[in-house]
Amino acid sequence: MTIACLKFNIQVRDKRSGATTTLESNSSHGMICITNESQWSDAAGKLVLGEAFEDKDTTPWPRFANALHWHLLLHTGQVPKADVLYRPLYGWELNYIHTRYFGGAASVRKNQAEAFWQWFGPVLMGLRFKRNILPLWQMGGIYGIITKEECTTALEPYPEGTFLIRFSESVAGAFAIAYATDDPNERVKHFLVKPDDLAANKTLPDFLKDKNQFRTVLQLAPPSRETRPVDKDLMMSNLYSKRKTVQPPAAGGYLFL
């Protein structure tokens, strides 16, 4: 994959003097042509790293963070058309990324950024392409970036059936669900949503709807890190797939569909 930029020029001729002048546009943002959705994560990663590093092996953390954040806003539809950023990356999320993947260093090495993108690329791809994931994240139904230990601490005061959804730290692009139980030895348990759990026609909200152990979601209320318990059906009812009801057989043994 190669990053390409577009630049346009036109020659303008002065009728009186006969002199010609070339007018040239600024170079466009980088772009990569892909042939199918499966190539998207790799292509997006090349664009992020291309902006952050150019032809260097290291870059300051703020420059990398800005490039990363701009692409997240772009691919979640928040720039350039949104007047308000309804779900940016907040300071605690950037701090998590900075600490976990780059050791809190002032500069970022390119190989570190490539390793980080192996995790974050599938996360961003899920937000962009998976049905009903983006609206659920925007409304705080998916907390997103939080550690397993922080989930356990957040859920301990809540009753059985309360749960929190995060991006899995160990399986890129997958969702992990922490949930409160009545087990006195393990009050909070963790469940990894496997690819087989989300078939082609089954979204994450549909999966959660069918699980009785998940009843009340801890909703994130940014820009603070505060959460509040909300009935899952109240939050997700508009995201559930509409299921067709088959009518009983009519006279003659035919079904009305």
Side-chain angles (χ1 to χ4, degrees), residues 119-141:
W119 175 76
F120 192 77
V123 169
L124 187 54
M125 186 171 174
L127 290 172
R128 179 179 173 91
F129 291 107
K130 289 182 180 178
R131 187 158 60 97
N132 290 336
I133 294 303
L134 182 57
L136 190 57
W137 182 65
Q138 290 168 349
M139 67 177 68

Side-chain angles (χ1 to χ4, degrees), residues 188-202:
V188 177
K189 297 185 179 183
H190 300 267
F191 178 87
L192 180 67
V193 182
K194 299 179 289 296
D196 290 346
D197 294 325
L198 304 179
N201 296 319
K202 191 170 188 178

Side-chain angles (χ1 to χ4, degrees), residues 216-236:
T216 305
V217 61
L218 272 192
Q219 180 185 29
L220 176 66
S224 71
R225 296 193 72 176
E226 294 180 0
T227 56
R228 60 170 186 156
V230 179
D231 180 84
K232 74 174 180 184
D233 292 330
L234 183 64
M235 173 181 285
M236 302 182 194

Side-chain angles (χ1 to χ4, degrees), residues 6-8 24-28:
L6 295 179
K7 183 181 288 188
F8 299 92
E24 188 173 271
S25 71
N26 293 326
S27 180
S28 71

Side-chain angles (χ1 to χ4, degrees), residues 36-126:
N36 59 70
E37 185 180 303
S38 65
Q39 299 172 330
W40 186 89
S41 180
D42 288 343
K46 283 186 175 293
L47 293 174
V48 172
L49 269 62
E51 282 187 27
F53 290 89
E54 296 180 338
D55 58 351
K56 302 179 180 66
D57 292 325
T58 62
T59 195
W61 160 251
R63 181 183 175 92
F64 177 78
N66 284 338
L68 174 69
H69 198 200
W70 190 88
H71 277 268
L72 176 130
L73 297 176
L74 175 66
H75 296 305
T76 55
Q78 299 182 73
V79 292
K81 59 186 178 182
D83 295 328
V84 178
L85 300 181
Y86 43 79
R87 186 56 173 95
L89 286 178
Y90 291 101
W92 79 82
E93 295 171 308
L94 290 169
N95 287 338
Y96 167 93
I97 292 169
H98 190 199
T99 302
R100 177 176 175 83
Y101 291 95
F102 305 104
S107 295
V108 172
R109 298 193 306 274
K110 194 170 186 178
N111 63 340
Q112 289 178 308
E114 290 170 342
F116 160 73
W117 193 260
Q118 294 301 308
W119 175 76
F120 192 77
V123 169
L124 187 54
M125 186 171 174

